[in-house]
Amino acid sequence: MKGRVAVVTGGARGIGLALTRALAAAGAKVVVSGRNQAALEEACAGIVASGGEAVAVAGDVSVEADADRLCERTLEAFGKAEILINNAGVTRDGLLLRMSDKDWDEVLDTNLKGAFHCTRAFARPMVRQRWGRVVNITSVIGLMGNAGQANYAASKAGLIGLTKAVAKELASRHITVNAVAPGFIDTAMTEALGEKARDALMERIPLGRLGKPEDVAHAVLFLCSEEAGYVTGQVLTVDGGMVM
């Protein structure tokens, strides 16, 4: 990754933070994007303290102008944009019969439209340089569904369709587009489940443990590498075997 320029949306916490750290450790210059300026600056400070290069760009990817500005700031800072990780995501869980239009729209706008906005913006410099890597962070929920998450499941399933369509469009320019579908990863979100719910999850995971954010980062690093140059349009599940 040395010398590559990578952009991670939702890159200041959880899986996103693990992604930014892994890319920086591999030698990439990292642009960290998200809504919380303080969290972004903290993430970048950690990378710089470890000898890496990182820039924080605050914004909301569901807003077209913010996604375009993210691309512009990346080009201003590093002169190119080679790797895009669409990781930004939100949840607004609730049963279908009680789900409001607002909760539906917020999840689809961030998780799916946000990835569309960013991919469209960053595809332009990638096409010009005839090289690029796009990795969309979807979810096993997009593959199997989950009660109480109709909006989230739809957004993550939509990301898979977006991945495959754009992979076909950009392949002739040596740009690969893939998706990583994490299972249940040990983050603040799963910590809030409680011991009983976590034990029930373990019974569904053949490897017998929750994933770590670093497990997802390793998969993403591979898909961003030169070695993955013949891999495109794929969905790699990182779930301990839960949905195999």
Side-chain angles (χ1 to χ4, degrees), residues 9 25 27 42 82 153:
T9 67
E42 183 179 349
E82 298 167 302

Side-chain angles (χ1 to χ4, degrees), residues 123-134:
R124 296 184 179 106
M126 289 182 184
V127 165
R128 287 195 296 270
Q129 67 205 16
R130 297 182 66 84
W131 197 94
R133 297 284 188 267
V134 179

Side-chain angles (χ1 to χ4, degrees), residues 135-140 142-143 156-157 159-164 167 177-182 219 223 231-238 243:
V135 181
N136 296 319
I137 306 302
T138 179
S139 169
V140 293
L143 294 168
K156 294 300 187 177
L159 265 181
I160 293 172
L162 178 69
T163 297
K164 293 179 179 293
V177 185
N178 292 287
V180 170
L223 292 173
V231 179
T232 195
Q234 303 304 305
V235 181
L236 176 58
T237 54
V238 182
V243 298

Side-chain angles (χ1 to χ4, degrees), residues 80-242:
K80 56 183 179 178
E82 298 167 302
I83 296 168
L84 171 65
I85 315 297
N86 286 310
N87 172 71
V90 298
T91 57
R92 299 288 185 271
D93 296 349
L95 295 175
L96 176 68
L97 294 179
R98 299 174 183 171
M99 186 173 290
S100 67
D101 281 12
K102 181 174 181 290
D103 286 344
W104 175 273
D105 289 343
E106 284 186 11
V107 171
L108 271 290
D109 284 350
T110 298
N111 299 7
L112 184 54
K113 186 182 282 187
F116 160 67
H117 284 157
C118 290
T119 303
R120 182 176 60 185
F122 281 90
R124 296 184 179 106
M126 289 182 184
V127 165
R128 287 195 296 270
Q129 67 205 16
R130 297 182 66 84
W131 197 94
R133 297 284 188 267
V134 179
V135 181
N136 296 319
I137 306 302
T138 179
S139 169
V140 293
I141 302 304
L143 294 168
M144 66 182 192
N146 196 36
Q149 289 192 306
N151 48 4
Y152 186 77
S155 71
K156 294 300 187 177
L159 265 181
I160 293 172
L162 178 69
T163 297
K164 293 179 179 293
V166 178
K168 290 183 176 181
E169 290 189 25
L170 299 181
S172 65
R173 295 296 185 269
H174 309 289
I175 300 166
T176 67
V177 185
N178 292 287
V180 170
F184 288 97
I185 306 300
D186 198 0
T187 63
M189 189 180 298
T190 52
E191 284 177 8
L193 290 174
E195 186 175 346
K196 186 175 180 180
R198 285 167 68 92
D199 289 344
L201 278 179
M202 298 298 186
E203 294 178 3
R204 300 168 57 189
I205 302 172
L207 286 182
R209 68 170 176 88
L210 297 182
K212 297 177 292 185
E214 291 75 17
D215 293 323
V216 181
H218 294 322
V220 170
L221 278 182
F222 167 67
L223 292 173
C224 292
S225 70
E226 290 286 354
E227 289 78 5
Y230 202 55
V231 179
T232 195
Q234 303 304 305
V235 181
L236 176 58
T237 54
V238 182
D239 65 350
M242 188 174 70

